[in-house]
Amino acid sequence: MPGTTRLLCLAASALLAGLAAPPSPAAAHDLPRTYVVSKAPGVLPEGIAIDHDGTMYVSSDGTGALYRGSVRDPQLRPFPAAGTADRPSSLGVHTDGTGRVYSVGGVELTVHDRHGRLLTTRTAQGGPLGPSHLNDLVITDDAVYVTDWANPVVHRAALRHGVLGPLEPWLDIRSAFPQFPAQYWLLNGIVADRSGTTLLVASNGTEAVWRVDVATRDVAQVDLGGASFGADGMLLRGRTLYAVLNYAAPSGVYVAELDTQLRTGSVIHRITGEPFDLPTTLARYGCRLYVVNSQNDEPPGEPPYTVSAIDDPMCAPPGRTR
């Protein structure tokens, strides 16, 4: 969630009543628990992605920079991503199966190779409320879907043989809740099932996660037992939804088990308090969750800016399977 507009959620609330083998147990035990993204002032980390080889990328809401490191090294370093120097903010960041790095900030979606060479730039057209403020993205076999913090819109760029098409408005999500004010949807995290036929989209403003059928564009709220669930970043693994909450609930990692259609579920784990410092999103590698500490509640925060690694509560103990 962008730090500069986070307080808009207060107005909204008043209107509502890994592909590679994971590290061995011994190796995982020796991995750092805290990763320093940067010690430079004003970085305010926001997004995170971990590639199949353990390479970690973290974006900066405060400066627009990208940082790169490894799950084996507690210190990240600037990632020389060409063409992002003038982007004041970078939010969502993800990698694909070839190691390319996708990131969004402002009105731009950019794609870099692992060396930082700029491969593609796509610019969002805006939405019903004006210019876009792209927030997060998910990559499927045939498209990239991007949420828009400033508009109640999900954008889409077709993906064919590694070539990215134009980034175009694809879904106006207001159809699911037309009486809710357009400016307070505040779309955040977005994830897809393995087939790419179902999306889950988080909305801070509605304090809910919305299920989107890609073929029909039908939208329905995911029923999580009536609990407020205005997630920021999310991660979907099978039927397990990992989400970071930092608004209308204690900040931390929430884990929900969903039904096979991803329509209903219940929260089965809540991890709050230390070591988090206004977490925004998370990534998974092996049996660990990597959680970004944004410090966006008190910008520009206080260096160092960090990522915290915690044990995944959904991992089975040795000798047991889930």
Side-chain angles (χ1 to χ4, degrees), residues 40-44 59-67 84-90:
V43 166
L44 300 173
S59 63
S60 167
D61 185 11
T63 69
L66 297 176
Y67 294 84
T84 62
D86 295 329
R87 190 161 77 184
S89 173
S90 291

Side-chain angles (χ1 to χ4, degrees), residues 201-286:
V201 180
S203 163
N204 266 143
T206 63
E207 298 181 28
V209 174
W210 299 85
R211 180 190 187 276
V212 180
D213 184 303
V214 169
T216 65
R217 305 192 202 187
D218 288 339
V219 184
Q221 184 175 345
V222 178
D223 182 358
L224 292 170
S228 169
F229 205 84
D232 198 339
M234 301 189 298
L235 167 68
L236 182 65
R237 187 169 183 261
R239 295 190 296 114
T240 303
L241 177 66
Y242 301 84
V244 171
L245 272 64
N246 51 37
Y247 164 70
S251 294
V253 175
Y254 291 64
V255 184
E257 192 77 351
L258 307 180
D259 71 338
T260 56
Q261 298 298 312
L262 307 182
R263 295 182 183 276
T264 66
S266 58
V267 178
I268 57 176
H269 293 288
R270 296 174 176 82
I271 308 167
T272 61
E274 297 291 341
F276 305 135
D277 192 347
L278 198 80
T280 48
T281 192
L282 76 169
R284 185 181 186 276
Y285 187 78

Side-chain angles (χ1 to χ4, degrees), residues 31-236:
L31 293 177
R33 284 290 176 177
T34 300
Y35 297 81
V36 175
V37 178
S38 176
K39 296 179 181 178
V43 166
L44 300 173
E46 174 75 20
I48 186 170
I50 301 180
D51 209 0
H52 60 84
D53 63 356
T55 301
M56 181 188 305
Y57 297 90
V58 175
S59 63
S60 167
D61 185 11
T63 69
L66 297 176
Y67 294 84
R68 181 174 60 189
S70 167
V71 297
R72 300 165 185 84
D73 186 341
Q75 179 67 58
L76 280 70
R77 295 163 182 82
F79 176 55
T84 62
D86 295 329
R87 190 161 77 184
S89 173
S90 291
L91 301 179
V93 58
H94 290 279
T95 61
D96 66 12
T98 67
R100 290 178 294 190
V101 183
Y102 293 66
S103 62
V104 294
V107 300
E108 288 188 346
L109 162 65
T110 55
V111 186
H112 293 84
D113 67 15
R114 62 178 68 247
H115 304 293
R117 183 168 65 96
L118 180 62
L119 303 176
T120 304
T121 299
R122 295 290 180 262
T123 302
Q125 300 175 14
L129 302 182
S132 295
H133 191 168
L134 303 181
N135 196 325
D136 201 4
L137 68 149
V138 65
I139 306 165
T140 68
D141 288 342
D142 62 357
V144 177
Y145 298 90
V146 185
T147 56
D148 191 333
W149 172 260
N151 293 277
V153 170
V154 176
H155 303 264
R156 181 183 188 270
L159 190 58
R160 297 185 179 92
H161 308 295
V163 178
L164 199 62
L167 185 62
E168 300 173 327
W170 177 75
L171 172 68
D172 188 326
I173 204 167
R174 289 178 293 177
S175 61
F177 194 179
Q179 65 271 37
F180 192 79
Q183 68 268 34
Y184 294 133
W185 273 88
L186 307 176
L187 300 185
N188 270 322
I190 183 170
V191 293
D193 66 356
R194 290 191 183 98
S195 66
T197 58
T198 302
L199 307 177
L200 300 181
V201 180
S203 163
N204 266 143
T206 63
E207 298 181 28
V209 174
W210 299 85
R211 180 190 187 276
V212 180
D213 184 303
V214 169
T216 65
R217 305 192 202 187
D218 288 339
V219 184
Q221 184 175 345
V222 178
D223 182 358
L224 292 170
S228 169
F229 205 84
D232 198 339
M234 301 189 298
L235 167 68
L236 182 65

